[in-house]
Amino acid sequence: MNNPIHPQWTGLVVDGKLPLLKWLGGHESGGAFLTERPGPGLERAVIHLIPADAADAEGRRKLWAAAQGLDHPHLLRLYEHGQCRIDEGVFFYAVTEYSEDSLAGMLQKRPLRLEEIREMLGQLVDALDFLHARGLVHGGVKPSDVMKTGGQWKLPVDHLLTADSAGAVRGLGEYDAPELESGVIAPSADVWSLGMTLVEALQPGRSKEMDSVHGEPVIPEGLPHPFDGIVREC
C-alpha cells in the first residue's frame, strides 16, 4: 500500500465538495476527518478515507454500498461513498453521520446511571439484531464505537463485515471475541463484545483488567441485577 492517510490534509477539499475540517484519527489502512455536507444548511459529518490499493478496499467499498441502504434509528447513517484523488493517490471515501460523543468519552467525564445503561443496551441490541438479520456483523462493538447523538445511542456502519466471511485478525483487543482468532466473522462475536462493553459501562476500567480462565473472562463481582446475568450470557 503506497497511499497512507495524512492528518496534514486538513484544509483540502475531497471530490470538490467535502472539506477536510479536522483530523479525527486513523491507522495505516485508513483515516477520518470532520467534514460538512453541502446543502441548504451545512451539516457536520465524518468522511472516512481508505487507499484504493489497500488489500480489502474493494470489499470495503461493496459493504459501504450495502450500508448506505440501511435505515435504523440506532445506526449512524452512511450518506454517500465515492472515489477521489489526493496528492496523486487514489482513495475510496464514505461520508457518515456525525456524533457528538461516544460511550468512551462519556465515561471519562462521569459514570452512567443504570437507567442510561439500560436504555443503551436495549438500543444496541436492536441495532445488532437488525444487522444480523441481514447477514452483517458489526465487528467493532466497543466503548469508542458506541456513539451518542440526538439523544440516541448508535453504532457506526463504516466497518461492517459479512457474516461467516473469512477475515484476517491482526491482534485481538479486550473487547474482541476469542473465536475471531480463527479468522471467521460471526454474529456471536458482536454478542461477546457487547457483554464486554456492558462491563465497561457498569465498572469503568474493569474490562481492561479482567482475568480469564481457559480463555473465558472472569465476570467481575458486584455487577447489578439484571446486568450480571446479561454479561454472563454474552
Side-chain angles (χ1 to χ4, degrees):
M1 184 176 64
N2 300 315
N3 298 315
I5 313 295
H6 296 291
Q8 296 87 347
W9 288 347
T10 300
L12 299 181
V13 177
V14 168
D15 211 8
K17 59 184 178 180
L18 297 164
L20 303 183
L21 301 177
K22 180 182 177 181
W23 170 250
L24 298 179
H27 43 77
E28 61 179 9
S29 60
F33 291 83
L34 179 68
T35 188
E36 289 178 335
R37 299 178 66 220
L42 292 177
E43 177 185 3
R44 288 194 295 181
V46 177
I47 182 169
H48 307 265
L49 294 165
I50 59 171
D53 63 351
D56 63 343
E58 281 298 332
R60 178 63 50 202
R61 182 158 69 164
K62 290 179 181 178
L63 286 168
W64 282 348
Q68 190 172 347
L70 298 177
D71 184 13
H72 191 277
H74 303 303
L75 294 175
L76 291 177
R77 292 183 60 191
L78 195 155
Y79 298 113
E80 62 176 297
H81 63 97
Q83 181 175 316
C84 64
R85 180 175 292 274
I86 305 176
D87 286 351
E88 304 305 319
V90 178
F91 300 85
F92 296 147
Y93 71 84
V95 182
T96 65
E97 183 180 355
Y98 174 75
S99 175
E100 300 95 350
D101 211 344
S102 68
L103 174 60
M106 293 178 69
L107 291 174
Q108 291 179 351
K109 303 169 191 173
R110 64 172 179 85
L112 265 62
R113 302 185 302 275
L114 291 183
E115 310 89 80
E116 292 178 289
I117 296 174
R118 185 176 293 107
E119 177 187 63
M120 177 192 73
L121 179 62
Q123 294 179 4
L124 296 185
V125 167
D126 281 349
L128 292 176
D129 184 58
F130 177 86
L131 293 175
H132 296 168
R134 285 156 179 77
L136 298 170
V137 173
H138 187 270
V141 180
K142 55 185 182 293
S144 60
D145 263 355
V146 174
M147 317 306 290
K148 188 72 177 288
T149 182
Q152 301 290 313
W153 295 97
K154 300 188 179 188
L155 290 171
V157 297
D158 55 290
H159 285 289
L160 296 182
L161 302 165
T162 302
D164 300 322
S165 62
V169 178
R170 296 194 177 108
L172 299 183
E174 64 265 25
Y175 298 99
D176 293 323
E179 61 261 33
L180 288 176
E181 285 185 317
S182 69
V184 175
I185 310 302
S188 60
D190 282 344
V191 178
W192 174 287
S193 298
L194 180 63
M196 294 295 288
T197 298
L198 186 53
V199 169
E200 183 67 14
L202 292 163
Q203 296 185 0
R206 187 67 180 91
S207 64
K208 297 178 176 61
E209 303 168 356
M210 285 175 64
D211 298 321
S212 62
V213 177
H214 305 302
E216 296 290 333
V218 177
I219 305 301
E221 296 182 1
L223 297 180
H225 182 77
F227 300 112
D228 51 350
I230 294 171
V231 167
R232 188 167 287 104
E233 290 299 318
C234 287

